[in-house]
Amino acid sequence: MNIKNKNIFIACIIIIIITLVTILALFLFFNFRNFTIESAKEEELKIFKREYESVLDGYRNYSKFVYDNVINDDSILEILYDANKNREKIDFYRDELFNVLNEIYEYISEDDFRHLHFHLPDGTSFLRMHRPSNYGDSLFDVRESVRISNEDKVYIEGFEEGRISTGYRFVYPLEYNGEHIGSVEISISMAAILKSLSELFCEIHQFIIKKEVVDEKVFDEELSNYVTSTISRDFYYDVEIEEEIENIDSLCIQFLESKKVNQELRANIDDDLEKGKEFSRVVNISNKDYLISFLPMNNFKNETEAYIISYSISDAVKHDQEYFLMLIVFLIILYLSLIIIIFLLWRSKTKFLNISSTDPLTNVNNRNGFFEGLRYLHEKALKNKYDLYFIIFDIDHFKDINDKYGHLTGDKVLKNLSEIINKHIRKTDFFGRWGGDEFVLAISNVSNEIIIGIIEKLSIIVSRYDFGIDENLTLSIGVAKLAQDESIDDLLKKADEALYEAKKAGRNDIKYSI
């Protein structure tokens, strides 16, 4: 490999390395970016759960206050006790309890508590303060919270779909004179919880519940309160919740934006919803990144029945994208700069090498440049065991041409001769000016017959060419063939001796050492 090709090869290797490093940097950044997004999603889920728990804490404490100071009072408990003992007068006691608690119920309703519901020990609905005309239905099959509270006589709370609506239930067992007399539920609607979340934390929240849960539990006349969600065909929206959310004037994200996000999510979210686990997604709408977190609502059997969904604009992802674009621009500029620098260095070095290896007059290889090529051909010939021929020739009586026509004409003759030789040899052959009027040629991978034909043809072509002088130009030529394991010096010596014999024979002659 000659010097020029070596430098091209080295430049290509450097460019490839820079390209690979750039690709690696982008790959690492993409992984880092994905890690950043995943971290942002995890952090948003943690924040969402803390926000949800903080809202529940407020309602939990409120329900405990109502239970301790209103419900857990002998005057209230005695009515339920008497209703258990005198079932024939149960309607009387129901009306009595309703009248006693009606003012209290209206008060707590203003604070978003929807249900104040009393149950008998066998799970029968005794009094729904929100629907006093609906009573007498058995709840154990559809209300696990009521069953657990009455059978185990324990306080229990959690999310649960009811006969009429969805809510978060606080269920307290009731006792009078050491006897279990039933339970009371103080519950908050999911609409109220989502409203509090959206107003307190500057976000839009939605609620979806599985269709199969609603269709199984809710009274037929109440099913009109549910519509198919835009996020999944297997889930309902609660109409009341949707209306409540739509009226929230959030400074951060509008209700209509969440609808657009849902349309983007709809295509590939069913599998995640089916798993019943918490998860987050990032969706880009109109150059805004929305972080959507799904918090599962499990019933008292620990089965996921619904989800609360939080929609927020993600600054973390937005900033990450800005950093990503900046890095891309930086890497592109760095990459192009390095390519330009390498190109300039390579071109500068190539110019230097050309100067050091090229004859400035004829623009062919000088002695140094030719030696580089000859060494390359010599190594290949020995390695591959094919023939290599070294040819040296000079112009007969060139001094006389210079003396007769001047050095400018002599230089023109040298240039024209170089052009003729270059035109009639192969690209794989190596040609150069040895010095003065002497030229050298290295030809490989041909036979003795072919080399003789090539050299004689060149001699004839030169002798017939019009160099702009009166005389025909002739050459004295020495040809030597590389012997097995022979050094370059030995090869040059044989060619030089052959040239000497050609001159000695009267010039315009070819002598072979093959």
Side-chain angles (χ1 to χ4, degrees), residues 283-298:
V283 173
N284 184 276
I285 303 287
S286 301
N287 294 321
K288 287 184 181 179
D289 286 307
Y290 295 90
L291 193 53
I292 307 97
S293 299
F294 291 78
L295 191 61
M297 296 288 101
N298 292 352

Side-chain angles (χ1 to χ4, degrees), residues 413-429:
V413 168
L414 294 176
K415 290 179 184 179
N416 290 342
L417 177 64
S418 299
E419 292 171 1
I420 293 169
I421 302 299
N422 261 330
K423 184 177 179 180
H424 290 90
I425 61 175
R426 302 173 302 179
K427 290 183 179 180
T428 54
D429 299 332

